[in-house]
Amino acid sequence: MSIPAPTTPTLRDILADADARHVSVGHFNISELAALNGIFAGARALDLPLLIGVSEGEREFIGVRTAVAIVKSMREEYAYPIFLNADHTHSLEKAVEAAKAGFDEIIFDNSSLPMEENIKNTKEAVAAIRAIDPSIVIEGEIGYIDMNSEVMDAAPEGIARSSPEDAVRFCAETGVDVLAPAVGNMHGLLRTMVAGIAHKEIDIARIGAIKAAIVAQTGTKWMTLHGGSGTEDKLFTDAARAGMTIIHVSSELRLAWRRGVEQGLKEKPEEIAPYKILPPAVEGIEKIVTDRLKLFNGMQ
Ligand SMILES: [Zn+2]
């Protein structure tokens, strides 16, 4: 009798488990390998599952199929639950491209459009993605929370908050696996947040109300908190407990990457080998990932 090879759980298994335990899976964006190495080290230190995100711009820079090949090879080599998400995919064409390339999750984001159009387009994307690979986890978004993971002077105009009624309607009509609602979150960071003198206000009661409504009235069970950077520590744990299954952090990692590169260049002004310059960026990212994952899992 042969011993079966160890199998890594699927992303659906990971999300179901996180949901049952009221913790959140960490989702972190990359543009290149130094960030991936830092994120992976941070998650492995805690032995926690991991979602790697690449936006349309990030995956164009890395290569759509290259991103899939890298994450898949890490999953196999380390027998580790690391998965890849096509973050904020705005067109059907890009969603189909990601599905064919073998992404584990695709976020179809038409949240900047009116609700009617968002529902219509998301429904169409869900059908197209399921036809290519029904195992792909599909996320849809409602409510505007701005587009950019950048550092800004002031909050952009028009940031919305989603209602449980809109959430139920959107999930029921589109059939998405995961809902990203607007609950006081926002992409990017304000300068006051970078300085540590302000934090994002996440509406925990609204998370609970939306979660209860969609679970009771639709087939959608999972939810994602976008724009996690700059959130007060305690609110991460509260958001996970209230029903967020995935939490995204990107801008903080971009900031750590830039600071780390600047430090590496300053410490070694004559060095030209990137792998000798980049370690401070890797270490800075690793620290943030470990800190955030502890909060998402109520470990602090
Ligand atoms: Zn996002």
Side-chain angles (χ1 to χ4, degrees):
M1 211 174 78
S2 64
I3 298 164
T7 51
T8 33
T10 65
L11 179 55
R12 282 178 194 278
D13 296 334
I14 293 295
L15 296 177
D17 177 65
D19 191 40
R21 295 190 296 113
H22 307 287
V23 299
S24 293
V25 176
H27 173 292
F28 305 97
N29 288 68
I30 63 164
S31 292
E32 47 71 66
L33 287 178
L36 179 61
N37 290 346
I39 293 164
F40 192 46
R44 283 182 84 196
L46 300 171
D47 197 21
L48 287 170
L50 190 55
L51 254 169
I52 298 296
V54 279
S55 65
E56 287 184 356
E58 287 162 342
R59 63 201 193 241
E60 193 177 315
F61 185 75
I62 296 171
V64 174
R65 291 177 59 180
T66 304
V68 173
I70 292 168
V71 170
K72 186 165 181 275
S73 86
M74 290 170 84
R75 183 158 70 223
E76 289 169 2
E77 180 176 356
Y78 297 93
Y80 200 89
I82 177 171
F83 301 94
L84 185 64
N85 172 41
D87 202 8
H88 297 291
T89 306
H90 301 291
S91 70
L92 181 62
E93 181 199 352
K94 295 281 181 192
V96 166
E97 179 187 48
K100 286 183 175 167
F103 275 73
D104 303 294
E105 186 192 353
I106 296 173
I107 301 184
F108 186 79
D109 176 10
N110 269 191
S111 60
S112 63
L113 298 179
M115 187 62 137
E116 294 292 335
E117 284 176 71
N118 186 9
I119 288 175
K120 181 178 165 286
N121 296 349
T122 303
K123 202 173 162 183
E124 192 183 10
V126 168
I129 295 165
R130 298 244 194 272
I132 294 164
D133 182 352
S135 75
I136 295 171
V137 173
I138 307 172
E139 180 172 324
E141 301 205 30
I142 54 170
Y144 181 64
I145 59 164
D146 197 40
M147 299 280 193
N148 297 310
S149 297
E150 309 281 350
V151 176
M152 300 170 282
D153 289 320
E157 301 267 320
I159 297 292
R161 293 198 184 190
S162 309
S163 68
E165 293 75 23
D166 278 352
V168 165
R169 188 180 159 215
F170 181 84
C171 291
E173 292 191 28
T174 62
V176 293
D177 300 298
V178 188
L179 173 72
V183 289
N185 50 329
M186 175 192 89
H187 285 125
L189 280 167
L190 301 183
R191 289 193 198 285
T192 48
M193 294 169 182
V194 174
I197 52 175
H199 294 282
K200 287 178 191 168
E201 285 301 324
I202 306 296
D203 189 340
I204 301 297
R206 190 174 294 263
I207 295 172
I210 293 173
K211 177 85 169 190
I214 63 166
V215 167
Q217 297 175 59
T218 78
T220 307
K221 293 185 181 64
W222 304 324
M223 301 206 309
T224 295
L225 181 69
H226 283 255
S229 294
T231 301
E232 199 179 324
D233 287 359
K234 181 183 174 295
L235 290 179
F236 277 124
T237 309
D238 292 347
R241 291 212 176 106
M244 286 297 181
T245 325
I246 301 168
I247 299 180
H248 283 220
V249 172
S250 176
S251 303
E252 288 180 354
L253 303 187
R254 289 180 165 188
L255 189 62
W257 185 91
R258 185 180 172 103
R259 283 176 174 164
V261 171
E262 285 173 349
Q263 187 190 331
L265 291 169
K266 202 173 153 197
E267 285 172 2
K268 297 179 177 172
E270 303 298 324
E271 184 58 64
I272 64 167
Y275 68 89
K276 292 181 183 172
I277 296 168
L278 289 168
V282 176
E283 286 156 23
I285 287 169
E286 179 182 348
K287 186 182 180 311
I288 291 171
V289 168
T290 305
D291 287 352
R292 290 329 194 189
L293 284 174
K294 282 181 182 168
L295 295 168
F296 300 171
N297 285 274
M299 294 161 78
Q300 274 177 342

